Amino acid sequence: MFLLDDGWFGNGENARNHDRAGLGDWEVNHAKLPKGIGELCDAATEAGVKFGIWIEPEMVNPRSELYAKHPEWVIRQPNRETYYYRNQLVLDLSNPEVQDYVFSVVDRILTEHPRVAYFKWDCNSPITNVYSPYLKERQGQLYVDHARGVTEVMRRVKEKYPDVPMMLCSGGGARCDYEALKYFTEFWCSDNTDPIERCYIQWGFSQFFLAKAMCAHVTSWNKTASVKFRTDVASMCKLGFDLGLKDLTPDDLAYCQTAVANWKRLQPVILDGCQYRLVSPYESAHMAVSYVSEGRDQAVLFAYDLHPRFAEKTLPVRLEGLDPDGHYLVQEINLLPSAASSLKENGQVFTGDYLMKVGLNVFRSRHLQSRVIELVRQ
């Protein structure tokens, strides 16, 4: 799937060429997309991929037609200087008219372009300038009624388009809760995609949510980390890429293609298996997480070396959740082209009892190294 992110809408002086204009005006930018969204859907279909699109329908820029027409739809104090967080304001979802408008943003795109197969629904601002023109004397209800309004819009979208997957973005906007999972298929945990930071984010996030609810993308953040390390970190959740593939070396591109194929093959284990948090990054210079299939026939272990100390002694990682009487083939995957595994247990068969009591020597003493190990019952 290919996702078109921010910047595709707004025209004239309100064109979305920066973050100071355009929010609220969900008309295709004619200069950027002269043939509209439909042409992108055609191109995606021809390329054999699905097409998704970014929206932020709960927000508005002061430089927009919507704000000019409906200043009363905005949460804003009338008697004080307005504070703009990221150059935008929050629409008042306690107002049923505003709820109808926000619903119409999604509804119109899907009505006009039914091949749009995915939405990234963003939320980049907290509520500031707290005052609702709609609620008037009932300002104490704003936070409650606004949250209920947001949920009502999400419910309506899900009810009309139950088969359209949507990402709710992001953890930084405090959008991640179980109520939202009724309407969205996954969360964007954070805009921070540094792979080291992501280890801590994904470890903590997994205390509350399943891996299938956590989108994790490979980006160019922290180029001191290899593409392999970045990809292996993202592979422990819902894997995606925010990279210019043409900028990758042939070896890195080949690695990514192999890693994607492995992830797709292991997707049932990663997204629907039991997760075991084995080594915490908060207690070690390393991190390890594993997933075990329901029948305990297959498992995958992700191991990351974050910041080992010089010549640090590493200990084996003991797995959990395996059948102690089962026999498992250990195979390192996600290897770079022409690279051989240095895992001493690679290619050998061990009992589940051994793997859970003795473990595997997956850690190393070098910074930003990673290993992905597949275990298959023989």
Side-chain angles (χ1 to χ4, degrees), residues 282-301:
Y282 289 96
E283 300 173 358
S284 169
H286 310 269
M287 173 175 159
V289 170
S290 71
Y291 300 90
V292 181
S293 65
E294 183 178 0
R296 300 191 290 181
D297 294 327
Q298 195 174 16
V300 58
L301 168 64

Side-chain angles (χ1 to χ4, degrees), residues 60-62 67-68 70-84 88-93 126-136 139 142 146:
V60 65
N61 287 126
Y67 186 83
H70 293 287
E72 77 282 5
W73 281 7
V74 175
I75 293 177
R76 183 174 65 88
Q77 292 180 335
N79 58 345
R80 293 191 181 184
E81 182 179 352
T82 301
Y83 171 73
Y84 298 99
Q88 63 194 58
L89 296 168
V90 182
L91 293 175
D92 182 6
L93 271 294
I127 298 177
T128 58
N129 313 287
V130 182
Y131 179 86
S132 166
Y134 173 75
L135 291 174
K136 297 182 173 61
Q139 296 302 315
L142 175 55
H146 179 84

Side-chain angles (χ1 to χ4, degrees), residues 203-223:
W203 177 276
F205 209 85
S206 72
Q207 307 282 337
F208 298 92
F209 296 103
L210 303 174
K212 68 194 314 177
M214 301 160 60
C215 266
H217 288 187
V218 183
T219 74
S220 58
W221 275 40
N222 194 345
K223 292 183 179 179

Side-chain angles (χ1 to χ4, degrees), residues 3-261:
L3 173 74
L4 177 64
D5 215 292
D6 193 356
W8 58 268
F9 51 90
N11 288 286
E13 64 178 13
N14 297 328
R16 185 70 168 176
N17 297 322
H18 42 69
D19 68 359
R20 299 183 298 279
L23 281 180
D25 298 343
W26 299 100
E27 298 282 346
V28 168
N29 183 291
H30 304 310
K32 297 177 182 177
L33 300 173
K35 296 184 180 180
I37 294 173
E39 183 182 37
L40 294 177
C41 293
D42 292 340
T45 300
E46 184 177 342
V49 298
K50 296 179 180 179
F51 176 72
I53 199 165
W54 179 97
I55 54 172
E56 193 176 10
E58 303 163 59
M59 305 292 169
V60 65
N61 287 126
R63 282 181 53 185
S64 65
E65 292 183 21
L66 180 68
Y67 186 83
K69 291 178 180 177
H70 293 287
E72 77 282 5
W73 281 7
V74 175
I75 293 177
R76 183 174 65 88
Q77 292 180 335
N79 58 345
R80 293 191 181 184
E81 182 179 352
T82 301
Y83 171 73
Y84 298 99
Y85 187 93
R86 292 188 64 164
N87 305 300
Q88 63 194 58
L89 296 168
V90 182
L91 293 175
D92 182 6
L93 271 294
S94 70
N95 185 337
E97 278 190 285
V98 180
Q99 294 174 29
D100 290 341
Y101 163 76
V102 173
F103 171 78
S104 74
V105 172
V106 181
D107 189 39
R108 180 180 174 187
I109 293 173
L110 286 174
T111 299
E112 295 180 354
H113 308 285
R115 284 181 295 172
V116 170
Y118 183 87
F119 279 100
K120 178 181 178 181
W121 184 312
D122 217 336
C123 176
N124 283 312
S125 175
I127 298 177
T128 58
N129 313 287
V130 182
Y131 179 86
S132 166
Y134 173 75
L135 291 174
K136 297 182 173 61
E137 288 80 22
R138 297 182 297 115
Q139 296 302 315
Q141 281 292 112
L142 175 55
Y143 280 110
V144 174
D145 287 359
H146 179 84
R148 287 174 175 168
V150 171
T151 300
E152 174 61 14
V153 173
M154 293 174 176
R155 183 198 64 77
R156 289 172 63 183
V157 171
K158 184 68 173 178
E159 187 176 83
K160 186 169 182 180
Y161 303 101
D163 299 323
V164 177
M166 293 190 293
M167 176 208 291
L168 187 56
C169 178
S170 72
R175 308 313 297 273
C176 303
D177 58 50
Y178 281 99
E179 176 68 21
L181 275 181
K182 295 179 182 178
Y183 317 110
F184 288 80
T185 46
E186 63 239 31
F187 297 127
W188 181 241
C189 306
S190 173
D191 281 343
N192 184 347
T193 56
D194 182 310
I196 297 174
E197 297 297 323
R198 272 282 170 157
C199 284
Y200 293 93
I201 291 168
Q202 290 165 196
W203 177 276
F205 209 85
S206 72
Q207 307 282 337
F208 298 92
F209 296 103
L210 303 174
K212 68 194 314 177
M214 301 160 60
C215 266
H217 288 187
V218 183
T219 74
S220 58
W221 275 40
N222 194 345
K223 292 183 179 179
T224 61
S226 66
V227 168
K228 171 176 166 54
F229 185 85
R230 285 178 268 159
T231 303
D232 287 349
V233 170
S235 292
M236 66 169 281
C237 303
K238 269 191 175 176
L239 174 63
F241 287 82
D242 290 336
L243 278 179
L245 298 183
K246 66 180 181 180
D247 299 325
L248 296 179
T249 67
D251 277 357
D252 283 345
L253 180 59
Y255 165 79
C256 290
Q257 291 170 329
T258 299
V260 168

